[in-house]
Amino acid sequence: MSVRHLSTAAAAAVLAVVVCAAPAAAHVPVAAESDDGSGRGPAMAATILALIGVVAGGLALARKLGSGRGGPLASVAASAAGVVVGAVALAGSDDVGSGSGRGGAVVALLLGVVGLALGGLALARSRRAGRDTGSVSV
């Protein structure tokens, strides 16, 4: 799968999650007057996943995670998971500052997109490097 196909599939997956999560979030029971911030957990988990994807993508782009495809694929997977969990957390949250995790979900979505971009670039570089070293002309 080329990087172009991977980025198109990732964008389609994010859009599908956002579209599918909105009706599902409408059926989530809303807490009474006192919201103790229970929505922060999923948003925090999404932010951590996306941050792991950004770090793995940066390290893979700097080639500190080895020369294989494991680092870029880990970055893309962690970032995509962060985007999916962040989109679900965003769909089920209230206003920013209410303790429902909307701010963290937005940060997770932004970090996830950055991680997907870094992982995609590192994956393209690893494929290009593999193609260049495999063809030796004499």
Side-chain angles (χ1 to χ4, degrees):
M1 179 185 294
S2 69
V3 174
R4 189 177 330 173
H5 292 279
L6 182 66
S7 63
T8 304
V14 169
L15 183 62
V17 166
V18 171
V19 168
C20 293
H27 298 292
V28 174
V30 179
E33 298 272 334
S34 64
D35 188 14
D36 58 352
S38 61
R40 292 181 185 157
M44 188 177 295
T47 304
I48 290 171
L49 278 170
L51 187 61
I52 289 171
V54 168
V55 170
L59 290 175
L61 202 56
R63 294 189 179 168
K64 302 221 187 250
L65 284 180
S67 59
R69 290 191 183 141
L73 288 178
S75 172
V76 169
S79 297
V83 166
V84 168
V85 174
V88 171
L90 183 63
S93 64
D94 292 335
D95 293 333
V96 175
S98 65
S100 64
R102 176 167 274 190
V106 169
V107 169
L109 288 174
L110 293 174
L111 283 175
V113 169
V114 170
L116 282 171
L118 289 174
L121 286 172
L123 189 61
R125 180 182 283 179
S126 72
R127 287 186 179 189
R128 201 170 35 244
R131 194 173 22 191
D132 290 343
T133 59
S135 61
V136 177
S137 60
V138 178

